[in-house]
Amino acid sequence: DAKTTQPTSMDCAEGRAANLPCNHSTISGNEYVYWYRQIHSQGPQYIIHGLKNNETNEMASLIITEDRKSSTLILPHATLRDTAVYYCIVRVAMGAAGNKLTFGGGTRVLVKP
Amino acid sequence: GAGVSQSPSNKVTEKGKDVELRCDPISGHTALYWYRQSLGQGLEFLIYFQGNSAPDKSGLPSDRFSAERTGGSVSTLTIQRTQQEDSAVYLCASSPQINSPLHFGNGTRLTVT
């Protein structure tokens, strides 16, 4: 699976959009970009994933650059409950390996009032 | 509906003792995964089960670690002769099929004294 690079931490103002970048310059054509987050003392929570096109769901939007070497997770209106560590992962969706995800350090997001 | 349930939520054991950690996946989910997360670290894949196929044990750190999944549902992770370096949060996740996003439990925090 391709390696990802994320900022170690970032602050965000409550009510504002939070834009979380992720670099994955070695991504292969068949690798998806996944985002999970982990709130303190809880298990990771799936947010969104995509291959080429931008994706949006009730939690967030995912913007993937045309060359797929980077992506941005957007939390449109951050709340205090969005304070968490956000993990960007790239992996091949198909194959017997299943979800053998490897989570790196992630971005520690602190939403401030 | 009910999410992934893990028990116990906390376990303190003496070095050298055996421990069993339990995971109840979401009903109907065919894939089940075990991960561990050491303090301040990312997630480390341990083992996964998919339907009736042989489990993928490639992430187990030593032969002291084993896991079973009975009847395609409940799973038990067993650590024999625990060591202090086994102290971590052990997370279970399930997914409806092999390539679907994961649903995590809140983990079992294991402390080996």
Side-chain angles (χ1 to χ4, degrees):
Chain A
D1 292 338
K3 176 181 170 59
T4 62
T5 305
Q6 299 177 251
T8 304
S9 65
M10 63 184 296
D11 293 346
C12 176
E14 185 180 19
R16 304 295 292 271
N19 297 292
L20 281 63
C22 180
N23 286 324
H24 30 79
S25 59
T26 60
I27 193 170
S28 300
N30 60 350
E31 288 184 308
Y32 283 69
V33 180
Y34 282 79
W35 283 84
Y36 284 80
R37 72 180 183 183
Q38 189 169 23
I39 296 170
H40 183 62
S41 297
Q42 297 182 20
Q45 176 189 24
Y46 165 77
I47 301 173
I48 199 167
H49 75 284
L51 182 63
K52 295 181 185 178
N53 299 322
N54 299 337
E55 302 288 341
T56 296
N57 63 20
E58 65 278 6
M59 289 184 68
S61 295
L62 174 61
I63 308 298
I64 303 174
T65 58
E66 191 169 344
D67 63 7
R68 303 207 327 118
K69 292 186 177 182
S70 66
S71 60
T72 300
L73 178 75
I74 301 173
L75 307 177
H77 305 287
T79 71
L80 299 180
R81 287 178 294 181
D82 291 323
T83 291
V85 178
Y86 287 75
Y87 296 99
C88 169
I89 305 123
V90 294
R91 68 168 307 276
V92 176
M94 301 302 295
N99 271 308
K100 289 169 63 174
L101 302 177
T102 300
F103 287 49
T107 297
R108 189 172 299 275
V109 173
L110 175 61
V111 180
K112 297 181 174 181
Chain B
V4 176
S5 176
Q6 292 188 247
S7 60
S9 55
N10 283 283
K11 176 72 176 179
V12 179
T13 190
E14 293 181 351
K15 178 182 173 181
K17 296 287 181 66
D18 298 352
V19 294
E20 284 190 353
L21 312 180
R22 177 186 168 107
C23 172
D24 285 87
I26 293 173
S27 178
H29 281 196
T30 60
L32 185 148
Y33 304 77
W34 284 97
Y35 289 81
R36 75 175 174 182
Q37 187 172 33
S38 300
L39 185 63
Q41 302 296 310
L43 261 64
E44 174 189 4
F45 166 77
L46 297 177
I47 186 171
Y48 95 93
F49 300 85
Q50 171 59 36
N52 296 322
S53 303
D56 181 333
K57 305 178 182 180
S58 60
L60 295 179
S62 79
D63 59 8
R64 296 186 295 104
F65 288 72
S66 63
E68 290 184 340
R69 187 178 186 192
T70 54
S73 181
V74 173
S75 177
T76 302
L77 177 69
T78 301
I79 309 173
Q80 296 178 311
R81 306 181 301 281
T82 53
Q83 304 295 312
Q84 288 186 332
E85 59 263 29
D86 298 335
S87 295
V89 176
Y90 289 82
L91 289 156
C92 176
S94 68
S95 67
Q97 52 192 11
I98 196 168
N99 289 312
S100 300
L102 296 175
H103 299 256
F104 282 86
N106 285 331
T108 294
R109 181 176 298 278
L110 176 66
T111 303
V112 182
T113 61

